Amino acid sequence: MSAILRWRGRILLLRHEKGDAEVWLLPGGGVRSGESLVHALRRELWEETGLFPKGTEGPLEGPVALVDSIAPPTYPTRKHVLHVIFAADVSGSLEDVTSQDAAVRGHRAFRLPELDSIALHPPIQRFLQRWQPGDPAVYLGAMWVP
């Protein structure tokens, strides 16, 4: 699961490296055994951004979208990831955003038009540019990006 973190009309994304390529992801991660989706998301947001400290109950909306990432049969490893996407507003400064996750190489708050120029996994730029708080949850389909 992951979260659309809105800050002053922008979306906070995390930079990862895949081989020689730079990719951007919504903050989030996996669910541990016994965790609810919301508890896991709050833990991941704390680990990857330092936002939403343990014990705080920042408002989460959603889920707002679902996306399947299914590796094609020709891909070296069989993989199926279901992205459950929530949303939240971030207030204050982003200067304190820090990650405890070694996979995160940086962060940036993107203006919506800038999303078209980046490698976003899954590729949900159009959804992010159109989504508004309160919109009904949507299934965005299968979107595989190696």
Side-chain angles (χ1 to χ4, degrees):
M1 80 278 113
S2 58
I4 301 166
L5 296 181
R6 299 178 306 264
W7 179 79
R8 298 183 184 173
R10 300 175 186 208
I11 304 289
L12 179 66
L13 298 176
L14 304 181
R15 184 172 60 87
H16 290 244
E17 294 172 5
K18 281 185 140 185
D20 294 335
E22 173 182 87
V23 298
W24 294 88
L25 308 171
L26 292 170
V31 179
R32 295 179 182 159
S33 179
E35 279 186 318
S36 70
L37 290 176
V38 170
H39 183 267
L41 181 56
R42 289 184 193 286
R43 176 184 50 76
E44 287 286 349
L45 291 177
W46 173 248
E47 291 172 4
E48 291 191 346
T49 69
L51 301 172
F52 307 100
K54 292 179 183 177
T56 62
E57 293 294 321
L60 288 173
E61 179 180 349
V64 299
L66 301 170
V67 179
D68 276 312
S69 291
I70 305 169
T74 57
Y75 200 69
T77 56
R78 301 292 298 167
K79 189 174 185 179
H80 182 170
V81 176
L82 174 62
H83 302 271
V84 180
I85 303 171
F86 290 80
D89 289 315
V90 176
S91 59
S93 171
L94 294 184
E95 290 180 11
D96 296 330
V97 173
T98 58
S99 180
Q100 302 168 33
D101 187 332
V104 175
R105 302 287 189 221
H107 69 279
R108 182 173 161 209
F110 287 88
R111 288 185 166 87
L112 297 179
E114 294 176 306
L115 296 175
D116 289 327
S117 65
I118 63 169
L120 178 62
H121 290 199
I124 59 170
Q125 287 92 328
R126 185 173 168 193
F127 169 75
L128 293 175
Q129 290 165 337
R130 294 179 177 198
W131 181 80
Q132 295 293 317
D135 282 354
V138 296
Y139 173 64
L140 298 173
M143 300 179 173
W144 174 255
V145 179

